[in-house]
């Protein structure tokens, strides 16, 4: 029990890829899809993806953020958001945080809306996230995932060539 609630153990895995040469791209083509950098920023779009993708996976940290907190975060030159579309329909997104001083990029958030899941789009989107990250002079792309994320998340990260470098059990 924690604060009157039953606690749950969640397994969190940290994964990395250290070279674009290690990327195992999805060989499927998605001709009707486009990936666009959100420029200028649009905090409402980030918030939409966070809430709609995250509701099934208990993404809760940012639900209390004010509009100004969203704007401040997304206005950082270190943060870039890419949106995947099918014609004009929103499909998914990823947020990259560039830590150029450490020559690394964190894939902070990554996801596909429910109606587009299980169509191999996650493989494509992750490949693109890794490629966009390595566009800068970096040595490492990393992220973390947990047992609350989509059932295929960890498989997708491993299939693209990422390796687990740390695991832990956290109580929530």
């Amino acid at each position: 029990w924690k604060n009157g609630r039953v606690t749950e153990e969640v397994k969190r895995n940290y994964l990395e890829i250290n070279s674009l040469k290690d990327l195992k791209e999805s060989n499927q083509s998605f001709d009707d899809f486009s990936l666009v950098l959100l420029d200028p920023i649009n905090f409402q779009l980030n918030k939409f993806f966070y809430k709609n993708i995250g509701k099934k996976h208990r993404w809760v940290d940012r639900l209390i953020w004010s509009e100004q907190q969203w704007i401040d975060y997304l206005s950082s030159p270190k943060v870039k958001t890419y949106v995947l579309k099918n014609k004009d329909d929103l499909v998914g997104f990823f947020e990259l945080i560039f830590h150029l001083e450490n020559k690394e990029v964190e894939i902070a958030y990554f996801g596909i809306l429910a109606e587009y899941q299980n169509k191999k789009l996650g493989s494509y989107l992750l490949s693109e996230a890794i490629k966009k990250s390595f566009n800068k002079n970096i040595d490492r792309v990393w992220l973390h995932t947990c047992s609350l994320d989509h059932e295929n998340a960890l498989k997708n990260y491993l299939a693209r060539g990422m390796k687990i470098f740390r695991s832990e059990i956290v109580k929530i």
Side-chain angles (χ1 to χ4, degrees):
W1 287 86
K2 182 179 173 183
N3 299 329
R5 291 187 359 212
V6 175
T7 58
E8 180 180 350
E9 287 192 346
V10 174
K11 182 168 188 180
R12 186 181 296 151
N13 288 300
Y14 294 81
L15 296 98
E16 67 185 356
I17 187 168
N18 299 105
S19 168
L20 194 53
K21 293 190 297 275
D22 296 333
L23 173 62
K24 298 177 182 96
E25 278 192 77
S26 164
N27 57 3
Q28 209 161 343
S29 70
F30 297 96
D31 296 334
D32 291 338
F33 291 83
S34 61
L35 185 67
V36 293
L37 171 65
L38 271 190
D39 187 18
I41 66 163
N42 179 343
F43 83 91
Q44 296 286 17
L45 208 44
N46 286 71
K47 192 174 174 180
F48 166 81
F49 280 122
Y50 184 89
K51 286 173 79 172
N52 284 280
I53 294 169
K55 67 184 169 202
K56 287 174 81 174
H57 309 294
R58 287 202 240 161
W59 295 358
V60 295
D61 301 11
R62 295 183 185 180
L63 294 178
I64 59 169
W65 279 14
S66 67
E67 285 190 5
Q68 194 57 54
Q69 284 173 293
W70 278 99
I71 292 167
D72 291 348
Y73 168 74
L74 295 168
S75 295
S76 166
K78 293 180 171 211
V79 177
K80 302 284 182 222
T81 302
Y82 287 84
V83 173
L84 183 63
K85 293 181 174 184
N86 178 3
K87 298 186 174 76
D88 290 329
D89 293 339
L90 298 172
V91 174
F93 85 125
F94 57 84
E95 286 178 12
L96 303 178
I97 302 176
F98 289 84
H99 302 283
L100 298 180
E101 66 283 359
N102 298 330
K103 297 183 89 169
E104 66 181 30
V105 174
E106 176 186 0
I107 301 174
Y109 283 91
F110 172 92
I112 304 278
L113 294 169
E115 58 269 31
Y116 285 98
Q117 289 179 357
N118 303 315
K119 299 178 189 315
K120 304 289 185 205
L121 288 162
S123 303
Y124 169 76
L125 192 59
L126 180 59
S127 295
E128 292 301 309
I130 291 169
K131 289 193 296 190
K132 298 286 184 206
S133 298
F134 277 112
N135 277 345
K136 301 286 184 191
N137 181 26
I138 62 154
D139 297 328
R140 176 176 181 244
V141 177
W142 69 277
L143 56 76
H144 72 269
T145 188
C146 75
S147 51
L148 298 173
D149 287 339
H150 188 278
E151 62 188 30
N152 294 329
L154 182 59
K155 286 184 252 178
N156 184 25
Y157 301 138
L158 293 170
R160 301 287 74 75
M162 300 189 90
K163 306 269 188 265
I164 296 172
F165 69 89
R166 191 169 107 217
S167 296
E168 64 187 2
I169 302 292
V170 291
K171 292 184 190 299
I172 59 164

